[in-house]
């Protein structure tokens, strides 16, 4: 049986990137004007955040962080790595609770710039 390979064109990659960015932009738009907490991971947590293996550090750290900021006043959340780049976003939905969205490594600088530009909207 012959081996099959998936061939991605630049157009496919661009479409996927644009779709992901639109999802992130939509999530950020929902965060605008709401109380925000910014959490910075330490270097060890930052390294573990992107590890794949038996432990899902994103889920583990995300749950711990949400417990810490779930004070009734905080409605949105930006989790940043030790380099200051956003690795995840969170927003409190009154009906369903906290919703989160991870940020792909390749998109973090772009989202960081967007968040920096929109920082006044979060105040």
């Amino acid at each position: 049986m012959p081996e099959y390979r998936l061939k991605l064109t630049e157009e496919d990659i661009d479409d996927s990137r644009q779709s992901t960015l639109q999802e992130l932009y939509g999530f950020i738009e929902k965060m605008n004007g709401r109380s925000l907490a910014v959490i910075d991971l330490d270097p060890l947590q930052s390294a573990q955040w992107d590890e794949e293996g038996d432990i899902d550090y994103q889920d583990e750290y995300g749950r711990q962080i949400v417990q810490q900021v779930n004070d009734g006043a905080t409605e949105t959340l930006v989790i940043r790595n030790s380099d200051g780049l956003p690795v995840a976003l969170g927003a409190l939905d009154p009906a369903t609770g906290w919703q989160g969205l991870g940020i792909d490594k390749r998109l973090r600088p772009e989202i960081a710039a967007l968040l920096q530009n929109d920082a006044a909207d979060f105040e």
Side-chain angles (χ1 to χ4, degrees):
M1 184 158 143
E3 269 188 48
Y4 292 94
R5 299 178 113 187
L6 179 63
K7 182 180 177 190
L8 294 175
T9 65
E10 286 298 319
E11 187 174 294
D12 293 334
I13 292 170
D14 288 344
D15 288 346
S16 175
R17 176 185 173 86
Q18 190 59 37
S19 173
T20 302
L21 282 171
Q22 286 176 343
E23 184 178 1
L24 286 164
Y25 292 157
F27 199 89
I28 290 168
E29 186 65 31
K30 291 179 190 177
M31 294 171 64
N32 281 340
R34 301 174 69 194
S35 59
L36 172 70
V38 177
I39 305 296
D40 291 319
L41 301 173
D42 66 32
L44 176 61
Q45 292 168 326
S46 293
Q48 290 175 329
W49 185 270
D50 292 316
E51 282 183 5
E52 292 185 22
D54 294 337
I55 300 172
D56 184 348
Y57 286 105
Q58 292 179 14
D59 183 59
E60 182 67 27
Y61 291 142
R63 288 179 189 276
Q64 290 174 17
I65 291 167
V66 165
Q67 286 178 344
Q68 291 174 16
V69 301
N70 200 17
D71 57 7
T74 303
E75 299 175 294
T76 62
L77 174 65
V78 175
I79 302 172
R80 300 187 307 190
N81 63 17
S82 57
D83 294 326
L85 296 174
V87 295
L89 305 172
L92 181 59
D93 182 298
T96 58
W98 282 94
Q99 304 296 313
L101 193 59
I103 302 172
D104 184 272
K105 286 181 186 181
R106 296 165 290 190
L107 301 176
R108 291 174 186 170
E110 188 168 343
I111 297 302
L114 175 68
L115 291 173
Q116 184 66 31
N117 291 339
D118 287 348
D121 292 337
F122 292 111
E123 294 176 0

